[in-house]
Amino acid sequence: MQRVSLEEEYLKFGTYSADGETHYGAITEDGAVSLVADFPQWPTLHDVVVAGGLEALDVCADNKAVTHTHFDFEMVMPNARRILCVGVNFPGRNAEYKDCSDQPQYMSLFPRFASGFTGHNRPLIRPPESPQLDYEGEVAIVIGKTGRRVSQEDAYDYIAAVTLCNEGTIRDWVRHAKFNVTQGKNWDKSGSMGPWLVPFKDAAQLDAARIITRVNGEVRQDDVLSRMMHSIRREIEYISTFMTLEPGDIIVTGTPTGSGARLDPPQFLKPGDVVEIEVNGIGILRNTIVDERL
């Protein structure tokens, strides 16, 4: 199976647990390099981003030895304060709704909470209230500095890092009310984010990015960010018009066509399934599915 080509040398900073403790640090091919003790002023990776400290992590990790070879990934920024998601942001996604609507002038937005996400290689939780757990592969951007009414021209200057998101959704619960989807988007550990943050360096990291989502090895989503109806530059411009963006804010930028609910017949996730979200230059976010234990 053809896979997205990945750069091996990009920097990666993750949140993980080992030996009963939570760490953040550099993720390498040989293991993790904990950096928590080196930066006591920054207890979490979120604090690092807020302080503009990703470059300091890079310098510190340069000559350090691996501290953990066995560890479990956590949601990359488990104490993220604000996560805002862009919905229906690819041409095919708009057509999937079959409502004959034109491309929308303004983007759809909804909030998600950190409690709704788990980490790489952790199971997504299917609740007993619904069998309609669905996947959505997306790129997420992490804001690195405060901005209000940011222009599209300057938008990329406000990005600190990029990561991946499986914006898992309980489909029937997004239709419990007329005007919102919040309750279908925030079930505990129904989605994932990670595996790590990749510091943002230049426009090519996003402009040339390709999203591929696989379920049990079968490609379900395959598209490029350059086809989004509302570009990431536009997202930053629009969102910062009505709210001040702050360091540590996360914007989940939109998913391509091909989610399970839109297949004929629909194919929702079930226990034992494996979902992979892959984007060149960022990596692979992988999760299995389990039923919630009551």
Side-chain angles (χ1 to χ4, degrees):
M1 178 183 299
Q2 183 180 3
R3 304 185 75 85
V4 177
S5 62
L6 299 175
E7 297 291 337
E8 297 297 334
E9 300 301 324
Y10 55 78
L11 303 173
K12 299 174 289 187
F13 299 109
T15 299
Y16 65 93
S17 57
D19 303 323
E21 297 183 347
T22 301
H23 301 256
Y24 68 78
I27 308 298
T28 75
E29 291 184 356
D30 299 319
V33 181
S34 179
L35 300 174
V36 175
D38 297 280
F39 300 98
Q41 72 274 33
W42 301 332
T44 70
L45 196 53
H46 181 268
D47 297 310
V48 173
V49 171
V50 169
L54 288 176
E55 186 173 348
L57 295 195
D58 177 31
V59 172
C60 183
D62 192 35
N63 294 309
K64 279 186 170 289
V66 166
T67 56
H68 298 96
T69 55
H70 299 286
F71 59 90
D72 295 310
F73 282 100
E74 302 292 343
M75 192 282 211
V76 68
M77 291 176 62
N79 58 333
R81 191 170 71 89
R82 301 195 299 190
I83 302 171
L84 202 57
C85 303
V86 182
V88 195
N89 198 26
F90 280 79
R93 285 285 289 139
N94 192 53
E96 280 180 332
Y97 280 79
K98 299 180 180 178
D99 58 3
C100 301
S101 65
D102 294 330
Q103 177 174 320
Q105 180 179 359
Y106 300 109
M107 63 194 71
S108 299
L109 296 170
F110 55 89
R112 282 202 67 148
F113 313 121
S115 58
F117 294 106
T118 189
H120 173 63
N121 278 337
R122 297 288 190 113
L124 305 186
I125 306 301
R126 187 177 73 165
E129 288 81 2
S130 172
Q132 295 188 13
L133 174 61
D134 207 352
Y135 54 86
E136 294 187 6
E138 309 188 39
V139 169
I141 61 169
V142 180
I143 298 299
K145 65 179 184 179
T146 302
R148 182 77 193 277
R149 298 185 176 91
V150 177
S151 69
Q152 291 192 48
E153 180 182 5
D154 296 333
Y156 279 1
D157 295 338
Y158 288 79
I159 302 176
V162 295
T163 189
L164 300 179
C165 180
N166 184 347
E167 213 261 291
T169 302
I170 306 299
R171 288 295 177 196
D172 50 347
W173 277 68
V174 302
R175 296 176 177 83
H176 277 191
K178 186 173 183 179
F179 293 120
N180 71 76
V181 300
T182 302
Q183 55 269 56
K185 293 286 188 176
N186 282 289
W187 289 78
D188 288 352
K189 293 181 171 57
S190 57
S192 60
M193 191 174 292
W196 40 64
L197 299 184
V198 177
F200 183 70
K201 299 297 184 182
D202 57 59
Q205 283 177 279
L206 295 175
D207 294 346
R210 174 187 175 196
I211 302 174
I212 294 180
T213 301
R214 302 180 182 87
V215 179
N216 301 326
E218 176 189 2
V219 173
R220 296 282 184 85
Q221 296 179 297
D222 188 352
D223 216 326
V224 292
L225 265 61
S226 59
R227 280 184 13 92
M228 290 196 303
M229 294 187 292
H230 304 287
S231 70
I232 291 174
R233 291 183 185 273
R234 171 58 178 154
E235 291 174 1
I236 293 172
E237 176 191 52
Y238 181 74
I239 293 168
S240 70
T241 303
F242 65 85
M243 62 182 274
T244 300
L245 289 174
E246 298 176 353
D249 289 347
I250 299 174
I251 300 174
V252 182
T253 60
T255 194
T257 186
S259 62
R262 303 302 172 183
L263 301 178
D264 187 16
Q267 297 184 42
F268 297 110
L269 297 172
K270 58 186 185 301
D273 285 347
V274 178
V275 185
E276 292 182 325
I277 316 298
E278 184 171 3
V279 176
N280 52 304
I282 303 179
I284 299 174
L285 174 62
R286 181 182 300 107
N287 299 94
T288 55
I289 313 300
V290 300
D291 278 334
E292 182 179 351
R293 293 183 178 180
L294 299 178

